[in-house]
Amino acid sequence: MRTIGLLGGMSWESTVGYYRAINEGIKREKGGLHSAKIAMVSVDFAPIEVMQQQGDWEGMAALLIEHGQQVEAAGADCLLICTNTMHRVADAVQDNIEIPLLHIADATASALRHYGIQRVGLLGTAFTMEQSFYAGRLADQHGLDVLTPDAAGRDIVHRIIYEELCLGVLKDGSRAQYLEIIASLDERGAEAVILGCTEIGLLVKQHDTPTRLFDTTAIHAEAAVAFALENGE
């Protein structure tokens, strides 16, 4: 079994979900007392959030490169950045490590193609919804048509992520707002909606809406399990 490398803490609330999902996946596939081989570095999210607001992506890239190299040095055979937003610097991290980085958008696109989905809604931080590193990758490299909420909807989604979900706060009212936004994307022709922030799946579940949801935490974790067990290892 290969060792999965995790770069977590952004936020730790969703990193817990990664650890659980990966170990559940290994147990499902191998049975018995098997669990995943994981090397993880968990960062302090507070200074990263400040850099996000300042637009200091070079500083964040340097930080994640340093910690990604630590994960590699710990014996990891691949690296997962356990957050959608920080894939803004994924290429820089990959350029500075020898092990493969399993990109969350690529794993998500693969899952969408499996179900024949072409037009998809995207929820996430403002960075993920508004910058090209994520939606652009889905469109340019995977041929998907990506819809995002209107400006007011994007503000709501972003605010709830940082002010509530990253702090482990789950509110029924916020869930209702998310469901309204998901319904609006459905009305615009989205065949499914990507929960493109690893915390959103803590609040919104598939049973809450008839719209098909793609939880990026679960998808990314499954990609890690497949890598760890590739070639029947």
Side-chain angles (χ1 to χ4, degrees):
M1 188 192 311
R2 291 169 171 171
T3 299
I4 298 166
L6 301 180
L7 192 47
M10 300 169 283
S11 69
W12 71 263
E13 293 283 350
S14 63
T15 304
V16 171
Y18 268 89
Y19 188 80
R20 179 183 297 110
I22 290 170
N23 278 292
E24 287 176 346
I26 293 296
K27 181 179 179 180
R28 181 191 68 234
E29 296 297 325
K30 293 185 70 69
L33 294 176
H34 284 289
S35 56
K37 296 170 63 179
I38 293 175
M40 180 171 70
V41 170
S42 187
V43 304
D44 180 6
F45 188 40
I48 291 176
E49 190 273 337
V50 171
M51 286 190 282
Q52 287 178 344
Q53 299 307 318
Q54 295 173 340
D56 184 10
W57 295 102
E58 288 187 4
M60 287 180 278
L63 186 64
L64 264 61
I65 287 168
E66 175 187 353
H67 292 310
Q69 290 171 340
Q70 290 174 351
V71 174
E72 181 176 29
D77 295 302
C78 69
L79 180 67
L80 280 71
I81 300 175
C82 301
T83 162
N84 288 271
T85 297
M86 293 306 293
H87 278 73
R88 171 71 168 71
V89 299
D91 290 344
V93 175
Q94 179 65 92
D95 288 345
N96 286 275
I97 58 175
E98 299 298 324
I99 57 178
L101 185 150
L102 306 187
H103 199 292
I104 197 168
D106 295 342
T108 301
S110 179
L112 291 164
R113 288 199 308 271
H114 176 77
Y115 288 97
I117 291 168
Q118 177 65 34
R119 196 173 203 202
V120 65
L122 173 63
L123 302 182
T125 66
F127 311 109
T128 299
M129 292 186 289
E130 296 173 1
Q131 297 183 16
S132 63
F133 70 91
Y134 198 96
R137 189 181 185 99
L138 293 176
D140 297 340
Q141 296 192 25
H142 301 284
L144 296 170
D145 183 9
V146 182
L147 304 175
T148 57
D150 61 19
R154 294 196 302 273
D155 287 345
I156 290 168
V157 172
H158 181 88
R159 178 187 60 77
I160 290 172
I161 289 169
Y162 280 94
E163 295 182 8
E164 299 175 20
L165 303 185
C166 287
L167 299 173
V169 176
L170 306 178
K171 296 182 178 180
D172 290 340
S174 296
R175 181 181 299 105
Q177 288 182 292
Y178 269 52
L179 293 175
E180 288 180 7
I181 292 168
I182 289 170
S184 72
L185 291 168
D186 185 276
E187 291 171 0
R188 289 167 56 196
E191 302 167 70
V193 171
I194 299 169
L195 304 184
C197 173
T198 51
E199 284 82 17
I200 296 178
L202 301 173
L203 180 66
V204 179
K205 309 293 185 182
Q206 185 61 73
H207 61 71
D208 294 320
T209 174
T211 302
R212 186 189 290 272
L213 303 179
F214 283 77
D215 184 343
T216 52
T217 298
I219 292 168
H220 209 194
E222 279 299 306
V225 170
F227 180 90
L229 301 179
E230 194 172 14
N231 301 320
E233 296 180 16

